[in-house]
Amino acid sequence: MVDLSTSIAGVTLPNLLLNASGVNCRYENELQQLLDSSAGSLVTKSATLSSRDGNPEPRYAPLAGQIGSINSMGLPNQGYEYYLEYAKKFDYNNAAGKPLFISLAGMSLPDNKAMCEAFRDANLPCVLEINFSCPNLPGKPQLGYDMEAMEAALQVLAPIIGKPFGIKLPPYFDIAHFDQAAAIFNKFDNIAYVTCINSVGNGLAIDWESETALIKPKDGFGGLGGLMVLQTSLANVNAFYRRLNNGKQVIGCGGVTSGKEAFLHILAGASAVQIGTQLQEEGTGVFERVSKELEEIMVAKGYTNVEEFRGKVKTL
């Protein structure tokens, strides 16, 4: 037997696998499916101040060869009050020990401030995650790429939240940016973790036969996910694992199709692992399959728990 449990931001997950925010988590029935699955936790769809329909369809497409997906969803969600009410009635005693993570993605700092104040005032045991990395809003740059603006936002939001919280990050591609971002996060004691990565922004997928983009929004430009972003995800996980201090953790997201990729995320330093594209394509049964595959890998390697190999990737 092997132990797949972990803890994030002071809460325990019976299994370190969970959904990536944005997949199977917009409505209550979808969140219930996650509770009924073998996932160890669940995170809601990134919420805005008011509900949003998102970008026009088609806005998601799997890519040939099972290499991944492209999407330009545009933050379709029910508005933060929907998820606040869900959090208020969330029955922790009947959730199989699964904690609840709430993702917030305000369209402005005042929006994020208002949402964080509402959750603070409700004094709920859920963990907040602020999404600084949505790449699919026309005319809205990702805050995670503006270091000064991101730090200014955290100076406002961290004291409001008060308790441990997380940040959803875009992928970084330059060592200097890893250094700069980590230096910012290390200034805030109650930043408990970062989630790496959101989709790789603004790819373009074209069907060669019809000579047409696969998705409609932004002239076909969208975020890339799935297996083809694995190495970028692992690099970001490991970069922040090496740079964050005071017990700050990393949740790995990107490229997980089997237990092997989950193992690699942990080896790179992830304390938990999210599944997005594969969950979209396979459904919630993916958690049971990946958990079993991860357990088999650990048994074959002689590991009994994930702490024995977390962050211990070897370099040449």
Side-chain angles (χ1 to χ4, degrees):
M1 294 294 292
V2 297
D3 182 6
L4 295 185
S5 66
T6 190
S7 63
I8 299 286
V11 297
T12 299
L13 287 65
N15 179 313
L16 53 64
L17 299 177
L18 67 159
N19 66 300
S21 178
V23 185
N24 214 102
C25 58
R26 180 178 176 183
Y27 302 106
E28 282 194 36
N29 67 303
E30 294 177 333
L31 295 166
Q32 185 61 47
Q33 291 169 7
L34 294 171
L35 283 174
D36 293 339
S37 76
S38 295
S41 183
L42 64 162
V43 57
T44 59
K45 172 68 180 176
S46 291
T48 49
L49 197 65
S50 302
S51 63
R52 288 176 54 88
D53 291 332
N55 292 339
E57 301 276 4
R59 56 193 185 187
Y60 169 89
L63 301 178
Q66 297 182 324
I67 62 170
S69 64
I70 185 169
N71 86 87
S72 182
M73 302 300 291
L75 283 178
N77 74 94
Q78 302 308 103
Y80 86 95
E81 290 180 336
Y82 179 92
Y83 305 103
L84 177 59
E85 291 306 310
Y86 177 81
K88 286 179 178 179
K89 62 187 179 183
F90 187 81
D91 188 351
Y92 289 86
N93 293 324
N94 291 312
K98 302 179 183 184
L100 174 64
F101 292 79
I102 298 286
S103 179
L104 302 177
M107 307 292 282
S108 66
L109 180 55
D111 285 2
N112 271 330
K113 183 174 180 287
M115 292 189 291
C116 288
E117 287 172 341
F119 275 92
R120 176 202 61 193
D121 294 345
N123 193 29
L124 301 170
C126 58
V127 178
L128 294 185
E129 178 177 286
I130 309 302
N131 184 351
F132 284 157
S133 59
C134 184
N136 300 316
L137 294 175
K140 291 283 186 178
Q142 297 185 61
L143 194 64
Y145 288 144
D146 186 332
M147 299 294 172
E148 291 184 1
M150 183 166 62
E151 182 171 4
L154 289 170
Q155 288 172 342
V156 173
L157 300 178
I160 294 172
I161 297 170
K163 59 184 183 178
F165 72 103
I167 308 170
K168 180 72 170 286
L169 295 176
Y172 295 105
F173 304 98
D174 194 299
I175 297 297
H177 295 155
F178 292 133
D179 293 339
Q180 293 166 12
I184 291 170
F185 305 146
N186 284 332
K187 295 179 181 180
F188 298 91
D189 291 340
N190 62 323
I191 292 180
Y193 72 92
V194 297
T195 299
C196 305
I197 59 175
N198 207 327
S199 57
V200 176
N202 295 310
L204 176 62
I206 304 171
D207 177 73
W208 75 273
E209 291 182 328
S210 67
E211 304 176 13
T212 306
L214 294 188
I215 58 174
K216 182 175 182 178
K218 295 172 60 178
D219 294 323
F221 283 65
L224 304 176
L227 190 58
M228 64 180 169
V229 306
L230 175 65
Q231 282 69 37
T232 298
S233 302
L234 294 176
N236 278 257
V237 168
N238 191 245
F240 284 107
Y241 176 79
R242 292 172 182 270
R243 287 166 174 77
L244 296 177
N245 59 30
N246 296 326
K248 291 177 176 17
Q249 298 170 289
V250 183
I251 295 179
C253 181
V256 177
T257 65
S258 71
K260 181 181 74 173
E261 294 85 29
F263 178 84
L264 293 175
H265 267 281
I266 301 164
L267 195 65
S271 291
V273 179
Q274 296 181 347
I275 304 177
T277 295
Q278 194 64 32
L279 170 60
Q280 177 68 34
E281 293 302 306
E282 185 176 336
T284 55
V286 68
F287 295 109
E288 182 176 5
R289 176 179 64 79
V290 172
S291 294
K292 181 180 178 182
E293 292 170 353
L294 177 57
E295 289 173 352
E296 290 172 349
I297 290 170
M298 290 171 62
V299 168
K301 288 178 171 286
Y303 296 123
T304 59
N305 65 74
V306 294
E307 296 301 329
E308 293 175 346
F309 63 97
R310 184 192 317 285
K312 294 184 179 178
V313 57
K314 302 169 186 175
T315 57
L316 300 178

